[in-house]
Every structure is written in C-alpha cells, then in structure tokens.
Amino acid sequence: MIVVSPSVVLASGGGVNANNPVVGWRNLVSTGNIAASGAADGYPALNLANPSTAQAQSWRGSNTAGQYLTVTVGTDEFIDYLAVARHNFGSGAIVVSVEGMAVEDGSWVELAAEMLPADDSPLLFRFVPQALFQIRLRLQPSAVIPRAAVLYVDKLLVLQRRIYVGHTPIPYGRESRVTTGVSESGNFLGRIVLGESLETSVDLQNMTPAWYRAEMDPFIAASKEAPFFFAWRPDSYPRETGYAWMTNNPKPSNQRSNGMMQISLSMGGIAL
C-alpha cells in the first residue's frame, strides 16, 4: 500500500500527476545507521538493512510498548519516501506513522500521519521531498509485538509515463506451486499449495532519451541485484504496491526516430 501525505504537491505539468508509477529502489539504510528502541534477541535492527524478507533475517521488537525505527541519514540529499516489507503491522493492529528531523538535535516533525494498515502487504509512505538529518518510523502496538524485514529510505523514481492497459497489478499476479491428489479411480482428493509468489510485467514506452539515461538507467543497472518497491497507479489503486525484483534482463531500445525509448520489465514479488 502506498500512503501519500496530503502535503505532497504532485505536479500536473509535463504529463506527470498522482498516477504516474513510482519505484523505490534507492536506499540509504545501512547496518551502521539504523537503530530501534528495542529488539528481541537474534533479531537486531541492522537486519532491516538486508533486502531479504526471510523471517530469520528480520527485526523484531522486544515488547508491545511504543517504539521507533530510526535512520540517521547524514546527507544533504532530498528524501521523499520510507517503505517497509514483510511486516505484521496490519494483522497486529499496529498504528504507524513517519517523523523527520531536519537538523541534529532538532524537533521531530510528522511527515506521514498515523494510520492502521489494512494488511501486511508492502507499505510505502510518500511525503514532501526534503533534506533530513534523521527519519523514523513510529510504531504504536496494542497487543502484538511488531516485526519487519526490510526498510528503505531515500528518493523515489517517478516514471515518466503512466500505465493504462495490458498490466497485471502485482497483488493479482499470483503464481502458485500446487500438488493435486487424485485417487486410482480418478476422484479428486484435494490440493496442497507448496508455495506462492507474485509475478507481473510492465511495458514502458515513449521515454525521452535524456530522461531515460539520467533517471531510468541507474535503476535498471541496480535492479540486477537489488529489489525495489513498485506502485503502478498510486492514486487510483494505492493498495496495489509490491516489493519486487527483476526476473528478466531488461534492455532498452529506440522506439522512434526522435530517440524515444522503450523497455519491458518482468518482476517477481513477495506474497502475503
């Protein structure tokens, strides 16, 4: 789910609006700059800097008290998103919000208001781009200890063109491995789901040459190794947000004589 702060002003000029896809691939979180108010034994906050969503490599709180996940950014770069994957904030009824501090020992300011996630799907907060000394995710549990596997903080890539047709939103691209039980006489005995993941693809066209080279190509290069958050139509379908990785080797090609570019992306993603 993508949560957009009301203070975000989305430009209407240049064909960009609230439904342009966004990609959260840049990440300033490292093992040395992430801290938590508390952590269970064997599940430290530094695990959040690992892109793995395995439970054994996640962070877990030590109790149900209110707590924070804090990233000391230490950069003049503008930041406009914080994202979390493989968490229990929805099922655990954990209220979350995002706060930022502009200068060291300054005051904390709310960047994204308190909300209760509808489920445990990837969660992306988008707010006004700004330079921050620290940013933190505030967690207010009720009866369940919070946990999360991945935390990203940085500047979003806003794609140049919107997606209209021919796209399967990633929550609906279910790919299951199933075994079916059939008796010797041909009766259906049942099915067992052995595993499930998500798959989708995106065809991007009419990207201007300069924009592709400056904005898109660094993402394509990084996606060989690093997963990313992806929201295909943030305003219309905010809950159709995924934590994904490339499953093909995307290569751009010239689409028009004026140099416009096109590229096809295939992605896999985590299922609930």
Side-chain angles (χ1 to χ4, degrees), residues 29 34-70 84-89 94-96 137-141 144-151:
V29 179
I34 177 73
S37 301
D41 291 343
Y43 299 94
L46 60 83
N47 282 350
L48 291 162
N50 187 332
S52 168
T53 58
Q55 295 290 353
Q57 296 177 302
S58 65
W59 163 81
R60 296 187 186 183
S62 56
N63 53 52
T64 57
Q67 48 204 284
Y68 297 93
L69 298 175
T70 304
V84 192
R86 193 60 83 195
H87 58 81
N88 67 339
F89 305 157
I94 298 168
V95 175
V96 296
L137 181 66
R138 184 185 183 191
L139 304 173
Q140 299 179 69
V144 176
I145 296 175
R147 57 176 169 78
V150 176
L151 181 69

Side-chain angles (χ1 to χ4, degrees), residues 6 19 82-83 88 107-108 146 164 180 250 269:
N19 271 322
L82 180 149
N88 67 339
S107 300
W108 289 100
Y164 293 96
T180 303

Side-chain angles (χ1 to χ4, degrees), residues 45-253:
L46 60 83
N47 282 350
L48 291 162
N50 187 332
S52 168
T53 58
Q55 295 290 353
Q57 296 177 302
S58 65
W59 163 81
R60 296 187 186 183
S62 56
N63 53 52
T64 57
Q67 48 204 284
Y68 297 93
L69 298 175
T70 304
V71 181
T72 301
V73 178
T75 177
D76 293 332
E77 295 181 30
F78 275 29
I79 295 168
D80 66 0
Y81 88 97
L82 180 149
V84 192
R86 193 60 83 195
H87 58 81
N88 67 339
F89 305 157
S91 60
I94 298 168
V95 175
V96 296
S97 57
V98 179
E99 299 174 345
M101 181 188 294
V103 295
E104 188 172 3
D105 298 324
S107 300
W108 289 100
V109 176
E110 188 174 77
L111 304 177
E114 295 179 1
M115 56 89 65
L116 180 61
D119 54 33
D120 295 340
S121 61
L123 185 60
L124 191 159
F125 294 94
R126 184 180 185 184
F127 41 85
V128 175
Q130 55 198 281
L132 295 170
F133 175 72
Q134 288 183 317
I135 184 171
R136 67 187 186 184
L137 181 66
R138 184 185 183 191
L139 304 173
Q140 299 179 69
S142 52
V144 176
I145 296 175
R147 57 176 169 78
V150 176
L151 181 69
Y152 275 32
V153 168
D154 210 317
K155 186 77 165 60
L156 288 168
L157 168 64
V158 181
L159 298 189
Q160 198 173 30
R161 310 299 179 199
R162 291 183 289 281
I163 299 171
Y164 293 96
V165 297
H167 173 67
T168 299
I170 196 164
Y172 308 126
R174 302 177 184 93
E175 184 70 21
S176 301
R177 293 186 294 108
V178 180
T179 182
T180 303
V182 180
S183 71
E184 291 185 0
S185 58
N187 290 313
F188 174 77
L189 300 179
R191 306 191 84 196
I192 299 174
V193 178
L194 302 175
E196 186 175 38
S197 61
L198 303 176
E199 293 183 357
T200 191
S201 61
V202 180
D203 292 323
L204 302 176
Q205 299 182 335
N206 296 318
M207 295 174 286
T208 58
W211 183 89
Y212 180 88
R213 288 164 171 78
E215 302 292 338
M216 191 70 181
D217 190 63
F219 161 56
I220 297 301
S223 70
K224 290 184 294 185
E225 294 183 297
F228 49 89
F229 291 83
F230 177 71
W232 80 282
R233 207 165 178 83
D235 187 54
S236 298
Y237 304 106
R239 295 184 63 178
E240 296 174 4
T241 302
Y243 180 64
W245 51 89
M246 289 298 183
T247 57
N248 69 334
N249 293 304
K251 300 178 180 66
S253 62

